[in-house]
Amino acid sequence: MFITPTARLTTICHYVKAALLVMATSVSLAVVMPVFAEESVKTVVFSKPVGEKEQRITDSGERAVAAEKAGKTASAFSEYPSAIELYSDDELNQLIAENTHLKRVLADECQLVADIKARAELVRLPTYQFLWGDMLAWGVCVDKNAELGIYYMRAAARQGQPRALEQLGRYYVQGKFVQQDIERAVPLFEQSAKLGFLPAKIQWAELLIQGYGSPYDYQMAYSYLYNTVTADVKMHKKLTQLLAQLENLMPERVVTAAKNAAKYQ
């Protein structure tokens, strides 16, 4: 086939352009790849796991930025949790166990209400949900709202807060804020007792002795009481009386099994 000079020139130009394009691409990749690699190394070297507290603070910051973009004023940012811990979990749990948590809020002159509310509603910490619920139920530093208070106590109980479980059970026994329903109180006391909360152990055993619950639970309730250590003389006497009453409801072999089970609790 005859190829004209013009066609030959066009073909040569086409190959030259293709070669130049390949060279340009190679140079670009050579420049970009070290930068990409450097950034990857930086990411690997400096990245670290984000803790729960840091994540909460980050999430709160993102919500605050979103609020600012939406046109909220700076005063509205008090709705979000701060990086400063209000009470440690151990401290608040101790206050709740001693039933002095509401006194502590009053002693702080109600200055921490916004922070407590944020930790209950936004962060959903069970100890703060219980504290916030108790404040609402009894009208401590806030307008009284028993319905909302019980809601947050139940939220704390669903997360396994022992005092919340016990207090809800006690309210069902007393008919306080809710309709009296002792059968509904039994499993609440049982769950709290399993978590080691002494008042719940006692109230669960008392209801079992009165005929509520199931006889199948006698052994477990006996084991919890038998394994309890206390320096309080009156409390020790109370535990001894309850153990004796439970023993009267169980065969000797079951009592022996309950004592043996207590060794492994």
Side-chain angles (χ1 to χ4, degrees), residues 134-154:
D134 223 13
M135 290 168 61
L136 288 166
W138 293 99
V140 174
C141 295
V142 293
D143 293 335
K144 189 172 183 178
N145 189 334
E147 184 178 1
L148 188 59
I150 294 297
Y151 169 84
Y152 279 104
M153 288 184 200
R154 285 174 174 157

Side-chain angles (χ1 to χ4, degrees), residues 2-65:
F2 178 74
I3 300 176
T4 65
T6 302
R8 183 179 294 107
L9 182 59
T10 300
T11 302
I12 293 172
C13 290
H14 174 77
Y15 282 114
V16 168
K17 288 181 179 180
L20 290 174
L21 178 61
V22 171
M23 290 175 64
T25 303
S26 300
V27 171
S28 299
L29 289 174
V31 172
V32 172
M33 287 302 291
V35 175
F36 177 78
E38 183 179 354
E39 292 298 325
S40 300
V41 170
K42 288 182 180 179
T43 301
V44 172
V45 172
F46 294 104
S47 64
K48 63 177 182 178
V50 177
E52 181 181 351
K53 178 180 176 182
E54 288 82 358
Q55 186 62 53
R56 293 203 307 267
I57 295 170
T58 300
D59 293 342
S60 302
E62 291 175 353
R63 287 195 293 271
V65 171

Side-chain angles (χ1 to χ4, degrees), residues 55-129:
Q55 186 62 53
R56 293 203 307 267
I57 295 170
T58 300
D59 293 342
S60 302
E62 291 175 353
R63 287 195 293 271
V65 171
E68 185 177 13
K69 290 180 179 179
K72 287 190 177 182
T73 61
S75 61
F77 295 163
S78 61
E79 301 171 7
Y80 303 100
S82 65
I84 302 173
E85 289 292 340
L86 179 59
Y87 307 121
S88 69
D89 280 342
D90 288 341
E91 181 183 8
L92 185 51
N93 275 315
Q94 184 64 30
L95 291 170
I96 290 172
E98 296 171 353
N99 199 25
T100 59
H101 50 290
L102 295 181
K103 292 180 181 179
R104 176 61 180 272
V105 174
L106 288 171
D108 291 330
E109 300 179 347
C110 302
Q111 297 181 47
L112 305 174
V113 172
D115 294 297
I116 294 170
K117 179 182 179 182
R119 283 163 174 76
E121 295 184 354
L122 297 179
V123 189
R124 299 177 183 176
L125 298 175
T127 48
Y128 281 96
Q129 285 179 325

Side-chain angles (χ1 to χ4, degrees), residues 142-183:
V142 293
D143 293 335
K144 189 172 183 178
N145 189 334
E147 184 178 1
L148 188 59
I150 294 297
Y151 169 84
Y152 279 104
M153 288 184 200
R154 285 174 174 157
R158 283 193 293 271
Q159 293 201 65
Q161 215 291 327
R163 181 73 184 193
L165 289 161
E166 183 272 337
Q167 185 153 305
L168 283 173
R170 185 156 33 87
Y171 286 167
Y172 279 116
V173 170
Q174 299 171 350
K176 184 70 176 178
F177 299 125
V178 295
Q179 294 299 312
Q180 187 180 44
D181 189 344
I182 297 179
E183 289 292 351

